[in-house]
Amino acid sequence: MKKLLLFALLISAVAFGREKEKPLYLDPTADIEERIEDALSRMTLDEKIAIIHAQSTFSLPGVKRLGIPELWTSDGPHGVRPEVPWNDWGNPGWNNDSCVAFPALTCLAATWNRDVAQKYGNALGEEALFRKKDVILGPGVNMYRSPLGGRNFEYMGEDPFLAGKMAVPYIHGLQDNGVAACVKHYALNNEERHRHKTDVEVSERALREIYLPAFEMAVKEGGAWSIMASYNLFRGTHCCHNGYLINDILKGEWGFDGLVMSDWAGTHDTREAVLGGLDVEFGTKVGKKMPAGESVYDIYYLARPYKEGILSGEFSEEGLDNRVRRVLRIIFRTSMNRNKPFGSMCNQEHLDVAREVAQEGIVLLKNESDVLPVKKARKISVVGENAYKKMCIGGGSSMLKPIYEMSPLEGITERAAKENIEVVYSRGYVGDTTTTQDGISSFQNLVDNRSKEELIAEAVANSRDADYVIYVGGLNKSLHQDCENRDRLEYGLPYGQDELISALAEVNPNLTVVIISGNAVAMPWIEEVPSVVLGWYGGSEGGRAIADVLFGDVNPSGKLPFSFPVKLEDNPAHYNGKTFPTRGKNYYDEGIFLGYRWHDKMGIKPLFAFGHGLSYTDFKYGEVKLSSAKIREGKNLTVKIPVTNAGSVAGSEVVQVYVHDCEASVEMPAKQLKGFEKVYLQPGETKVVTVTLGPDAFRFFDEQSMDWKTEPGDFEILVGSASDDIRQTAVVKLQ
């Protein structure tokens, strides 16, 4: 009897204990902040420490005891990266980790189309969902400061307004799928070679007006759930530890409630990271062999050293809790979001999006004598290594393993076959023959032992009697070209391409040069060549998109997101003997005058201006109308401009609205982009394009008050087709 009584008491005690400890608050309809506080209250110190640093190359551990799943990140910004092993960057040999390769972000920016950016983000989000990725490490919104920047192809150009406005719908598309965007690299990551050592000194005004606005838009308008800090230093402190950038501006002024993660191996000190506001540490290079049973991740700066600092009283547990809250917040929004869809992978819809982005981003730079589009022809000579070379393998962390990659040669040949046009191919030059990165191969053999003279002779012979010559060259994703961790060594084209292009121009007047690149390049042959096209890195459907434009199936509508200087010294990062890249102190002496702002200030005529891009039709602009001749501070201004397709081909025009402060107390640029809209018009059709300028279009950052300032006076509204092609102007008085 006593045994039965004891057993009953034991059962009652267990039942009482279970009733007392309520289950983890997992109701997906509950407020996320309630769920965060409930989970946080149940976590041990070790669990809190574990969740703020990596457990593998790309993941955070979650809390298994509480049923909180892992958080998985993935590159790039252009597609879902192939899988990597737990602890390194090799190839684990999966056969189901291919993806749709979307065009590089320079190409997306060149579309100047917010709707296309939303489609891009949505398709990428669906692919990430299917691969069970919670965070995509993108988009990149750093400013294009020099055409030698190795990572420029991952960013969105030289103008903060354009970059921010294109990033916002990309972020929405991703996060509507329950996949977090991780906007990078915060901030001032403008070169690669010395990215861990360069220490940027920039004026507060330039910081606020040029280098931060795209990040601010991503946070305030895009609602980004995570931010990646950059490698470089800013005013003496690494950006992963920079309290002014992270605590004061990002989390303080902008009210960012997401998490800030380090770039991989971007963390250097426990105390600086803790005080500087870093939330999550990834990729630290420990360089130490651990005892059996221990992991290198346990000695990360935000791991055991942080825990020891808390136990010793050096750091407060409250600070740790704030970090954990941010990690839990992104977990509840992504991996624990029960309402997110399932995703899809490598389907036709995603390929269609990739093709549409590539089509709209391609820029027709020059087209004398209407060489393009290709008309009746019997023979086309295609020349150049980049016509054949696959471009998704390489470039650093944005490297992809596409389900397929349609090369320009394949796209042109496929399209030419519809009209029974013969296509002959000549290599023309030999560049880097490497075809693998991190164990992933493009399965091409690029080795060619012929001499330069033999290659040029073959190309000239094949081109002499062709109806059209299409040269496809430019850069590639090898080191010292468009590639992470290195910058370009020269502004000119590599591998002797200039000589080859001139040789082709001598034997055939119907020559089109297609540049595959994420950067501006020198064009010493520009007067010899009637037609030039900027094809970017177009992803899986890039070759078809190029053929679509060359043959006129698609009317080109891309506009440059950065300027092409004639020579390198015309760029402010290289002006007057400046060095690039820079190890140590890096003074951005040009201040706010980046890109077209610099060219306007110095009276420098660019090779091709920011916003430039031709069409197979002509667009006429009518008289600009403002909603008012006078506005008060803090009010919007509506700009209306009728645009007519005066040609015979349907097409799209990007209407660009710039603002100039005529009476400022500080030096102002001649113009700054403050609005744009893309409009599609049938031949003869007219539409009135409406652009709304917000109060921020009329302000500058005042370094005396350390705040934004608007001054009364006249503002010139300039409407045009490019920064150097202003069609209409008007003046508004701000009171």
Side-chain angles (χ1 to χ4, degrees):
M1 188 69 178
K2 288 182 179 180
K3 289 182 179 180
L4 289 174
L5 181 60
L6 287 172
F7 183 71
L9 290 171
L10 179 61
I11 293 295
S12 299
V14 171
F16 176 77
R18 285 177 179 167
E19 182 179 349
K20 187 175 181 180
E21 184 177 351
K22 62 182 179 180
L24 186 64
Y25 198 6
L26 296 178
D27 181 359
T29 64
D31 179 74
I32 282 182
E33 300 307 313
E34 291 182 59
R35 300 167 71 191
I36 290 170
E37 294 305 318
D38 181 67
L40 181 64
S41 69
R42 300 167 186 277
M43 293 173 65
T44 66
L45 177 60
D46 285 335
E47 288 168 341
K48 292 175 183 178
I49 289 291
I51 207 171
I52 65 166
H53 66 81
Q55 66 165 352
S56 72
T57 305
F58 271 125
S59 70
L60 298 179
V63 187
K64 294 179 176 63
R65 181 180 66 86
L66 299 177
I68 298 174
E70 299 168 328
L71 186 81
W72 281 87
T73 70
S74 177
D75 290 308
H78 309 135
V80 185
R81 183 178 177 142
E83 298 299 325
V84 300
W86 191 261
N87 289 323
D88 61 54
W89 300 98
N91 175 17
W94 288 32
N95 59 10
N96 62 346
D97 58 346
S98 295
C99 68
V100 169
F102 297 95
L105 289 190
T106 42
C107 181
L108 177 62
T111 70
W112 293 59
N113 189 328
R114 298 174 180 85
D115 293 337
V116 165
Q118 177 102 14
K119 291 180 184 180
Y120 188 122
N122 181 68
L124 177 56
E126 289 179 347
E127 299 234 334
L129 275 175
F130 192 84
R131 287 272 300 280
K132 299 187 180 348
K133 307 302 180 188
D134 305 304
V135 183
I136 285 291
L137 305 179
V141 296
N142 290 99
M143 290 294 96
Y144 180 109
R145 184 168 177 260
S146 162
L148 300 191
R151 215 163 181 180
N152 284 338
F153 73 99
E154 290 190 50
Y155 299 142
M156 296 203 206
E158 71 187 28
D159 187 84
F161 184 85
L162 175 64
K165 292 301 181 183
M166 292 298 292
V168 166
Y170 173 111
I171 294 166
H172 288 164
L174 266 179
Q175 296 187 168
D176 286 348
N177 284 288
V179 175
C182 184
V183 185
K184 60 185 187 183
H185 302 88
Y186 185 73
L188 298 153
N189 188 83
N190 307 116
E191 57 187 66
E192 288 296 298
R193 180 64 182 90
H194 303 303
R195 59 184 180 169
H196 292 275
K197 301 292 184 181
T198 190
D199 182 4
V200 176
E201 290 288 339
V202 63
S203 71
E204 192 70 23
R205 184 181 174 200
L207 177 72
R208 301 295 189 129
E209 292 187 20
I210 301 297
Y211 297 100
L212 293 189
F215 288 101
E216 184 175 4
M217 290 182 212
V219 170
K220 291 184 175 180
E221 299 177 30
W225 293 341
S226 60
I227 297 284
M228 182 189 293
S230 60
Y231 285 129
N232 53 282
L233 295 85
F234 169 58
R235 297 177 184 168
T237 303
H238 280 96
C239 288
C240 286
H241 313 154
N242 200 295
Y244 182 59
L245 290 177
I246 298 174
N247 292 328
D248 296 350
I249 297 177
L250 178 61
K251 295 180 179 179
E253 293 179 25
W254 300 348
F256 177 64
D257 71 353
L259 69 82
V260 179
M261 67 174 66
S262 72
D263 202 342
W264 273 235
T267 313
H268 302 274
D269 181 84
T270 298
R271 182 173 179 80
E272 284 192 9
V274 170
L275 299 181
L278 183 67
D279 297 316
V280 168
E281 179 182 4
F282 272 108
T284 299
K285 295 179 180 178
V286 174
K288 179 179 178 181
K289 188 174 182 180
M290 301 298 295
E294 290 196 46
S295 166
V296 294
Y297 301 105
D298 294 333
I299 59 173
Y300 271 25
Y301 294 106
L302 291 184
R304 188 179 300 161
Y306 188 18
K307 176 184 175 182
E308 291 170 354
I310 290 173
L311 294 175
S312 70
E314 181 182 5
F315 308 122
S316 70
E317 191 165 353
E318 181 183 0
L320 173 61
D321 287 350
N322 287 335
R323 288 176 167 81
V324 175
R325 285 186 181 95
R326 292 176 181 271
V327 178
L328 291 173
R329 190 172 290 120
I330 200 171
I331 287 175
F332 283 128
R333 286 168 169 170
T334 60
S335 61
M336 289 187 75
N337 178 359
R338 295 181 176 180
N339 297 319
K340 65 183 180 182
F342 293 104
S344 53
M345 194 79 186
C346 296
N347 57 27
Q348 189 59 50
E349 289 80 3
H350 295 171
L351 291 166
D352 290 344
V353 170
R355 187 171 181 174
E356 182 180 3
V357 174
Q359 289 169 340
E360 287 213 25
I362 290 171
V363 183
L364 180 60
L365 294 173
K366 182 179 180 181
N367 194 30
E368 288 184 352
S369 305
D370 293 331
V371 169
L372 292 178
V374 172
K375 304 175 185 69
K376 294 179 180 179
R378 57 177 181 80
K379 176 183 175 182
I380 295 175
S381 170
V382 177
V383 181
E385 180 178 276
N386 281 2
Y388 172 72
K389 182 180 175 70
K390 306 291 187 183
M391 292 293 187
C392 289
I393 305 299
S397 61
S398 65
M399 182 269 294
L400 298 172
K401 184 171 139 183
I403 189 69
Y404 66 79
E405 181 182 350
M406 178 68 69
S407 71
L409 178 60
E410 291 169 323
I412 293 167
T413 302
E414 179 184 82
R415 178 59 180 81
K418 296 180 180 180
E419 298 181 25
N420 296 315
I421 301 172
E422 178 189 6
V423 175
V424 293
Y425 174 66
S426 312
R427 178 75 173 265
Y429 69 92
V430 177
D432 185 2
T433 58
T434 303
T435 57
T436 62
Q437 180 187 316
D438 296 336
I440 305 295
S441 174
S442 67
F443 301 103
Q444 288 187 293
N445 182 4
L446 296 177
V447 175
D448 192 324
N449 295 318
R450 289 179 291 172
S451 69
K452 179 183 74 172
E453 292 74 19
E454 289 175 304
L455 290 164
I456 292 178
E458 178 193 54
V460 168
N462 284 338
S463 301
R464 195 180 302 273
D465 66 341
D467 298 294
Y468 289 89
V469 180
I470 299 174
Y471 175 81
V472 188
L475 308 180
N476 57 41
K477 291 188 178 179
S478 301
L479 286 176
H480 296 301
Q481 295 200 48
D482 282 326
C483 186
E484 181 184 4
N485 202 27
R486 292 293 187 275
D487 297 297
R488 294 169 65 193
L489 300 178
E490 59 183 347
Y491 186 40
L493 292 174
Y495 315 127
Q497 293 179 72
D498 292 338
E499 181 182 349
L500 173 58
I501 292 170
S502 292
L504 295 173
E506 283 185 12
V507 299
N508 199 308
N510 289 335
L511 170 62
T512 294
V513 172
V514 179
I515 297 294
I516 305 299
S517 170
N519 261 308
V521 299
M523 298 183 183
W525 34 261
I526 190 64
E527 298 302 326
E528 307 166 40
V529 174
S531 181
V532 183
V533 172
L534 184 55
W536 309 108
Y537 298 108
S540 288
E541 288 285 321
R544 284 197 176 102
I546 287 173
D548 292 336
V549 169
L550 295 179
F551 282 83
D553 300 331
V554 169
N555 192 347
S557 62
K559 300 281 188 175
L560 287 179
F562 52 77
S563 309
F564 272 61
V566 174
K567 57 185 185 298
L568 192 60
E569 293 75 18
D570 291 345
N571 178 274
H574 301 270
Y575 181 75
N576 201 23
K578 282 187 181 180
T579 58
F580 182 97
T582 303
R583 182 186 179 98
K585 284 294 183 183
N586 191 352
Y587 296 95
Y588 286 22
D589 295 334
E590 69 277 5
I592 65 170
F593 293 95
L594 191 70
Y596 67 92
R597 295 168 171 83
W598 176 260
H599 291 157
D600 286 345
K601 175 182 177 179
M602 304 301 292
I604 296 172
K605 182 176 175 56
L607 181 63
F608 298 108
F610 172 80
H612 171 77
L614 304 177
S615 171
Y616 295 148
T617 191
D618 295 313
F619 298 101
K620 303 298 182 185
Y621 285 56
E623 183 180 358
V624 62
K625 299 288 187 184
L626 305 182
S627 56
S628 176
K630 298 178 181 180
I631 59 169
R632 290 197 173 276
E633 181 182 355
K635 299 298 183 181
N636 293 342
L637 177 70
T638 301
V639 181
K640 291 182 180 291
I641 184 82
V643 181
T644 301
N645 183 345
S648 59
V649 181
S652 296
E653 170 69 332
V654 178
V655 177
Q656 302 164 38
V657 179
Y658 298 84
V659 174
H660 171 59
D661 188 342
C662 304
E663 305 175 32
S665 61
V666 295
E667 187 179 16
M668 297 294 291
K671 67 177 78 71
Q672 299 188 81
L673 182 73
K674 295 299 180 181
F676 64 89
E677 289 294 336
K678 195 166 192 174
V679 58
Y680 179 81
L681 297 168
Q682 293 291 339
E685 184 180 10
T686 298
K687 288 183 181 177
V688 176
V689 177
T690 301
V691 176
T692 300
L693 303 181
D696 57 353
F698 306 99
R699 67 182 189 175
F700 65 90
F701 192 84
D702 179 43
E703 293 182 333
Q704 300 302 314
S705 63
M706 287 294 287
D707 201 356
W708 293 97
K709 185 175 183 179
T710 304
E711 294 180 334
D714 290 344
F715 287 81
E716 196 174 17
I717 310 300
L718 306 101
V719 181
S721 185
S723 63
D724 68 344
D725 183 13
I726 301 302
R727 307 288 183 88
Q728 295 287 333
T729 63
V731 175
V732 63
K733 183 176 288 294
L734 190 140
Q735 299 176 321

